[in-house]
Amino acid sequence: MLGRVAILIIWIGLTLAASIGAWRVSARDGLARIATQGASDLRLASDRLVAALLQFREVAVLAADHPDVVALAESFAREGRAAGDWRDAAVSLTLQRLADHAGARDIWLIAPDGAVLAGPADASERVVMSRALARAAQGATGSDHFVDPATGARLFTFAAPVFGLSGSVDGIVLLRLPAEDVEAEGRGNPVPVWFTDADGVSFLANRTDLVLLTERGAKPDAALYPAGSIAGVIRLHRRDLAGRELVSGAGSLAGPALEVSRDLPVIGMQGHALAAADPVLRSARLAALSTAAGFLAVGAVIFALWERRRALAEANAALEARVAERTAELSAANEELRRTQAELVQAGKLSALGQMSAGISHELNQPLMAISSYAENAELLLSRGRSEEAGETLGKIGAMAHRMGRIIRNLRAFARQESEPASRVGLAAVVESALEMLDQRLVKSGVTVDWKRPDFPAIVMGGEVRLSQVVINLLSNAIEAMDGQPVRRITIRLSREGEMIRLTLRDTGPGIADPERIFDPFYSTKEAGSAEGLGLGLSISYGLVQGFGGNLRGENAPGGGAIFTVDLREAVEREAKRREVRA
C-alpha cells in the first residue's frame, strides 16, 4: 500500500514539472513569434509614415523653386516694403493649387523676418518664427509638429528656403499638413501602432484613444502642446512573463500585450506597436493542461494495467481449464467444417460445369444455324441440277463443322483461363467472314450493312477463330436489338488509333439499358426462357479481347442506338520479323 502511495506522489510531481515546462516553452516560443510579427507590422507602418512625410517635404522644396514664388521673394528682399503691401493673390492661388494637388492643408510664402507674402485668405500678416522656420531661414529644410491652439488640430509643418539669384535666403515656403491625413492609411491595422516625439507624446496613432498620450514622467513642450491637450498616459503598469515585458492598459491597450519599438531618426520620432499576447497565453495554458492530462491519463493507464495484470493472473487458471474444454468442442466443429467445405467445392464444380455448358451451347448455335442454311442451299442447288455449286456449299458445311471443333477447343481453353499465342490476323477479312456467315440471317431480318474495307492493311495481333466469335457475337446482338425497329442498319468501320486498330460497330436499335453491366456473365435484356438469352456472349467476347491485349467497350451512340468498340494491338511488320529472327 505504501509503495502505491509513493509512486502516486512521484507521478504527480512529474506531472506538475512537465506542465510547467510545457507552459514556459509554449509561452516563450509564442511570444517570440508575436514579437516578430509585431516588429514586421511596425516596420510597415513606419515605412509608410516616413515615405508620406518625405513626400510632403519634397512638395515644399518644389514650391520653393516655383518661378512666381522666387520672383515675389526676390522683389520683397530687394524693395523691403511693408508686408501688407506685398500680399500677392496670384502667388497665393498658385500655392493653394499646389497644396490641393499634393493633399496638404495649405502652403505659405513667408519673408525671413516672419512677414506673410502669400498664403490662405485667413493667414495673419506675420507669423512667429518656429524651429522649422528658423532652420529654413538658415538655408536648410526644417520640419516641426504642434497642436493648433485655436482649433486643437494636430499639424505637421515643412519649411523650405527660397534662394535668390545672389544665393541668399529671400523667403521661406511653409507647408502645413493635418496629422489625420497621414494616419488614415493605418486605421484598419488590427495592431495598435503609435509614434512618439522627443517629448514622449504620441503625436500619431492608428487609434483615436492613443492620440496625444504621454508616458509617465514625460514633460511635453508647452509651446507645442498647450495645457489640456495631453489626454492621459500610455503605460499603466508592466509585468514580466517568460522573460519578456508585457504592457496592460485600457481601451486599445486592454489585455496583456508585447510592446515593440523602433527609432525613426529621419522624422525624429519613435514608433511603437503592441502585439496581443492573449492567444499565446491561452495556448500556453492549453499546452500545460494537455500535458497534465496526458501524464495523468498515462498514469491511470499504467495503474489500470498493473491491476489488470494481477486480475489476469488470477483468471489464467480458470481460462486454461476452459481452453481444454473448448478444444474438444473445436475438434468436432473442425470435422463439420471440413465436410461443409467439401460440399461447397462440389457445388462450385457443378456451377462451373453449368456455365461451361451454357457457353458452349450459345457459341455453337451460330455455326449450326450457318450449317442449316448451307444445307438448305445445297438441297435447292441439287434439285436444280447445279451439282458443282452444291458441292461448294457442302464443302462450306464441312468447314463449318471443322470450325465448330475449333470453337469448342477455344471455349474449353477460355474456361481454363488459357489462350493460344496471338498471331498476325487480318481484321478486315475476319469482318467479311463473319458477314458471310450471317448473310442469310441479315437478309431475313431486313438489316442493311454499311461496311467499307479500309484503305490500309488492318493487321492485328489475335486469333482468327476467337476474333470471328467476337465479331459474330456483336453482329448477332445488333440484329436482335433492331428487331421491330423502323430502320435496321449496321455500320462497320476500321481505323488506326496510334498503335491500335479500332473496329467500331454501330446499330440503330433502342440502345443499351445499363452500359455498366453489359459484360457481366448471365446479364441479358432478352426475354426469360429464350434460347438466345443466356447472357454469356458479351462476357466471353470481353475475355477474348482482353486476352489479346485489347479492349472491348459498349455505349449508347449520341444519335440513338448502341456502338461497340474493339481496340486491338496492330501487328507491326518489324515486330513480326524480330519474332522470326528470334525463332
Side-chain angles (χ1 to χ4, degrees):
M1 184 65 181
L2 293 177
R4 293 183 181 180
V5 173
I7 293 175
L8 180 61
I9 294 175
I10 293 174
W11 192 259
I12 292 176
L14 291 175
T15 301
L16 291 176
S19 300
I20 294 173
W23 182 86
R24 291 186 63 85
V25 170
S26 178
R28 183 180 64 249
D29 294 344
L31 291 174
R33 185 174 61 255
I34 66 171
T36 302
Q37 182 61 42
S40 176
D41 293 336
L42 178 59
R43 182 173 62 256
L44 292 176
S46 300
D47 292 345
R48 184 168 56 244
L49 173 63
V50 171
L53 294 180
L54 291 181
Q55 180 181 1
F56 284 106
R57 186 181 69 180
E58 292 301 320
V59 172
V61 173
L62 291 175
D65 292 336
H66 195 280
D68 295 343
V69 173
V70 173
L72 180 58
E74 287 181 343
S75 298
F76 180 82
R78 186 171 54 252
E79 300 296 334
R81 294 182 181 179
D85 298 333
W86 285 92
R87 181 68 63 89
D88 192 300
V91 176
S92 298
L93 180 59
T94 298
L95 293 177
Q96 188 59 46
R97 287 177 177 174
L98 287 175
D100 294 340
H101 182 73
R105 179 174 180 177
D106 49 41
I107 302 178
W108 302 33
L109 176 59
I110 302 172
D113 61 354
V116 178
L117 303 181
D122 58 349
S124 59
E125 295 183 357
R126 183 174 295 276
V127 297
V128 178
M129 297 297 291
S130 62
R131 291 181 296 189
L133 293 175
R135 182 172 174 81
Q138 297 174 1
T141 58
S143 61
D144 207 350
H145 60 276
F146 62 93
V147 176
D148 190 344
T151 62
R154 292 169 293 131
L155 299 176
F156 275 101
T157 60
F158 298 94
V162 180
F163 294 101
L165 294 177
S166 61
S168 62
V169 178
D170 293 341
I172 303 170
V173 168
L174 178 67
L175 182 147
R176 298 199 306 173
L177 172 70
E180 290 84 354
D181 292 350
V182 293
E183 288 176 333
E185 293 186 7
R187 289 289 167 84
N189 192 343
V191 178
V193 178
W194 70 96
F195 299 90
T196 58
D197 55 16
D199 295 323
V201 176
S202 60
F203 194 75
L204 292 172
N206 63 355
R207 300 288 192 278
T208 57
D209 56 344
L210 298 181
V211 175
L212 296 181
L213 303 183
T214 182
E215 297 183 7
R216 178 176 298 179
K219 296 180 180 180
D221 190 338
L224 300 178
Y225 305 102
S229 66
I230 306 302
V233 296
I234 291 178
R235 295 181 178 85
L236 300 182
H237 66 273
R238 295 176 181 268
R239 60 190 176 95
D240 292 332
L241 177 63
R244 293 183 176 274
E245 191 173 42
L246 297 181
V247 179
S248 180
S252 295
L253 308 181
L258 192 64
E259 180 183 353
V260 292
S261 302
R262 186 185 185 196
D263 290 329
L264 305 174
V266 176
I267 60 175
M269 289 190 173
Q270 186 179 41
H272 306 268
L274 285 183
D278 269 340
V280 171
L281 298 180
R282 285 196 296 268
S283 298
R285 288 193 294 268
L286 181 59
L289 292 176
S290 300
T291 302
F295 267 75
L296 293 177
V298 170
V301 170
I302 293 175
F303 181 78
L305 290 176
W306 195 349
E307 292 295 319
R308 177 71 173 173
R309 181 180 180 182
R310 186 174 60 84
L312 288 176
E314 296 176 353
N316 187 45
L319 182 59
E320 289 179 354
R322 294 189 60 187
V323 166
E325 180 182 352
R326 291 292 296 169
T327 301
E329 297 177 0
L330 288 175
S331 298
N334 287 336
E335 183 65 25
E336 182 67 23
L337 179 60
R338 280 193 292 270
R339 288 196 300 271
T340 303
Q341 288 176 339
E343 294 174 359
L344 290 176
V345 169
Q346 183 64 23
K349 291 180 180 180
L350 293 176
S351 176
L353 181 59
Q355 293 182 12
M356 177 64 70
S357 300
I360 293 174
S361 63
H362 179 85
E363 292 301 326
L364 292 182
N365 185 53
Q366 295 169 354
L368 285 174
M369 291 178 62
I371 290 175
S372 176
S373 177
Y374 285 144
E376 292 176 0
N377 291 340
E379 182 181 1
L380 181 62
L381 291 172
L382 288 173
S383 65
R384 295 179 180 179
R386 298 163 60 180
S387 58
E388 183 177 352
E389 295 180 11
E392 294 178 356
T393 303
L394 292 174
K396 292 180 180 180
I397 293 175
M400 286 295 101
H402 182 66
R403 192 180 192 87
M404 290 172 61
R406 285 187 295 172
I407 290 175
I408 293 173
R409 287 196 301 273
N410 286 324
L411 286 175
R412 187 187 306 117
F414 176 71
R416 295 197 303 265
Q417 296 298 319
E418 297 175 354
S419 61
E420 298 178 359
S423 60
R424 295 165 54 85
V425 178
L427 190 55
V430 171
V431 173
E432 291 174 348
S433 175
L435 291 174
E436 181 182 358
M437 291 179 62
L438 297 176
D439 182 62
Q440 294 298 323
R441 186 177 177 187
L442 290 169
V443 173
K444 183 178 179 181
S445 301
V447 177
T448 303
V449 177
D450 181 4
W451 156 247
K452 293 183 179 179
R453 192 178 182 90
D455 56 358
F456 62 91
I459 308 301
V460 300
M461 299 301 296
E464 180 179 359
V465 175
R466 284 168 285 177
L467 285 180
S468 298
Q469 292 175 344
V470 172
V471 176
I472 290 174
N473 184 264
L474 295 178
L475 289 172
S476 299
N477 287 344
I479 294 172
E480 295 171 1
M482 292 186 294
D483 186 22
Q485 296 293 321
V487 178
R488 305 179 187 126
R489 183 175 62 255
I490 299 177
T491 303
I492 308 173
R493 292 291 184 270
L494 284 175
S495 62
R496 180 182 281 113
E497 304 292 337
E499 298 181 354
M500 308 293 284
I501 298 296
R502 175 168 293 176
L503 167 65
T504 57
L505 191 150
R506 178 175 178 176
D507 61 47
T508 57
I512 305 172
D514 191 355
E516 300 295 330
R517 298 186 56 200
I518 56 174
F519 298 117
D520 293 347
F522 301 102
Y523 173 75
S524 175
T525 58
K526 303 167 189 175
E527 294 182 1
S530 173
E532 305 290 342
L534 297 176
L536 289 173
L538 286 177
S539 176
I540 294 175
S541 299
Y542 184 83
L544 291 174
V545 175
Q546 290 284 324
F548 297 141
N551 184 39
L552 170 62
R553 63 180 182 273
E555 56 190 348
N556 289 315
I563 180 169
F564 283 84
T565 303
V566 181
D567 289 330
L568 295 167
R569 290 187 296 112
E570 183 177 10
V572 184
E573 184 68 23
R574 58 177 177 270
E575 292 183 357
K577 293 182 178 179
R578 189 182 301 119
R579 293 191 185 94
E580 293 175 359
V581 171
R582 291 178 180 176

